Amino acid sequence: MDPRPACCAPPGGPDGEPVRNGVPATPAADPPAHDDVALPGGVFAMGDAFGEGYPADGETPVHAVRLEPFRVDVTAVTVRRFAAFVAATGYRTEAEVYGSSAVFHQALAAERADVLGAVAAAPWWLRVRGADWSHPYGPLSDVAGLQDHPVVHVSWSDALAYCAWAGRRLPTEAEWEYAARGGLAGRRFAWGDETTPDGRWMCNIWQGRFPRVNTGEDGWLATAPVRSYPPNGFGLYEVAGNVWEWCADWFSPSYYARSPERAPQGPESGEHRVMRGGSYLCHRSYCHRYRVAARSSNTPESSSGNCGFRTVAAG
């Protein structure tokens, strides 16, 4: 098995120099209210206690982390919220500036001429001209009926721009895992240790044989609306599956061995930013990254049809 399978996130961004789209210099005059919850902070055990992680992801050693109180969004940022940001600022995402983004092959809604090719390391991902946050499956799609779905085709820089406007920030990786665990210590998932307790699907992931056969047992091929699955112990929805969520940190597989106990911020530099939570493409047989300790990453200018974000604020 590939030690770092690329089922969930297409590696790398579009060809060419990174786009510097700019971040709004000041927050909105009337920042939007966020549906969030206050978390008390404290000490928790971060990392993979089951030894199930891919070695190249660096989910070990399990280590103690101490966090201050903070507030975290109940859901990922939705299409509706991101549309309000774009309407208020005129912001153009990096996918729009580049002119293309990555779409999963079974969700494609585009003319053949707009398919610019498959991603070599993950051919189920297609580079599609005109795919962006408001055309999530390609230029023949739109977001009508998707207002309560998580926004996708947003890069790390796009997420940061939204945060600056909304007076929020991205969570650190440690904050994300603490929030996702929902108060459960040492468990495999945000709800316990079984994928489908009592036969219930607890998150939006792949069923069937990846990447060709999805039986759709959970009712979704791509994203599901936020709040489609039960919340965790802190009242947070879809911290497993549905869409990957950007974190603030640079990624390093060796970081846990040197991470400080108090409020770790990640490495000082790097080439990839951390993503957490897994997506609708995760499957135990190939990309078992909807576990609460699982880590992944991508270059900060990259975007795809299965990556979004949620925000945090001071407690």
Side-chain angles (χ1 to χ4, degrees):
M1 181 174 64
D2 182 342
R4 192 169 176 75
C7 66
C8 295
D15 294 335
E17 292 299 313
V19 174
R20 302 304 178 195
N21 201 4
V23 174
T26 57
D30 186 18
H34 272 239
D35 185 6
D36 62 8
V37 295
L39 301 187
V43 179
F44 80 106
M46 183 173 181
D48 172 25
F50 294 86
E52 296 174 329
Y54 301 102
D57 288 352
E59 296 180 24
T60 55
V62 175
H63 55 290
V65 168
R66 182 182 299 275
L67 296 174
E68 297 299 317
F70 65 100
R71 303 191 68 87
V72 59
D73 286 341
V74 167
T75 74
V77 171
T78 61
V79 169
R80 178 179 287 108
R81 283 190 171 276
F82 198 80
F85 158 61
V86 170
T89 64
Y91 184 84
R92 295 182 69 216
T93 61
E94 293 197 297
E96 292 170 284
V97 174
Y98 280 124
S100 67
S101 191
V103 175
F104 183 65
H105 71 111
Q106 289 191 352
L108 180 68
E111 300 288 354
R112 191 181 192 91
D114 288 323
V115 178
L116 306 179
V119 176
W124 41 89
W125 282 110
L126 305 175
R127 294 286 179 202
V128 179
R129 180 168 38 232
D132 57 49
W133 73 271
S134 61
H135 304 89
Y137 310 126
L140 299 183
S141 67
D142 57 38
V143 290
L146 301 179
Q147 295 298 303
D148 292 324
H149 287 237
V151 69
V152 291
H153 296 289
V154 286
S155 69
W156 183 88
S157 300
D158 297 332
L160 213 63
Y162 173 92
C163 288
W165 173 74
R168 311 279 292 183
R169 62 178 175 82
L170 289 177
T172 66
E173 184 177 17
E175 288 174 331
W176 192 98
E177 184 170 323
Y178 171 78
R181 288 190 176 277
L184 290 181
R187 295 301 186 94
R188 179 178 285 112
F189 303 116
W191 55 87
D193 291 334
E194 301 299 321
T195 305
T196 53
D198 301 321
R200 295 177 299 152
W201 286 103
M202 302 296 289
C203 62
N204 179 16
I205 55 176
W206 188 273
Q207 297 94 40
R209 190 175 69 254
F210 186 85
R212 297 293 176 186
V213 179
N214 188 342
T215 61
E217 294 170 33
D218 63 359
W220 307 100
L221 172 66
T223 58
V226 298
R227 295 183 172 88
S228 289
Y229 295 86
N232 73 358
F234 289 152
L236 309 184
Y237 292 85
E238 286 87 45
V239 290
N242 216 25
V243 296
W244 285 100
E245 298 180 7
W246 288 112
C247 293
D249 311 37
W250 288 110
F251 174 81
S252 168
S254 62
Y255 180 68
Y256 282 9
R258 63 182 189 279
S259 174
E261 177 178 335
R262 183 174 293 276
Q265 304 292 307
E268 293 183 0
S269 61
E271 297 180 355
H272 294 74
R273 295 287 184 176
V274 171
M275 304 187 309
R276 282 304 204 107
S279 83
Y280 58 83
L281 296 182
C282 283
H283 187 272
R284 184 182 182 94
S285 70
Y286 190 65
C287 186
H288 195 208
R289 291 195 181 94
Y290 50 100
R291 295 170 297 104
V292 74
R295 314 174 72 206
S296 194
S297 66
N298 213 337
T299 54
E301 75 276 8
S302 294
S303 63
S304 65
N306 70 336
C307 188
F309 66 103
R310 76 179 69 210
T311 73
V312 300

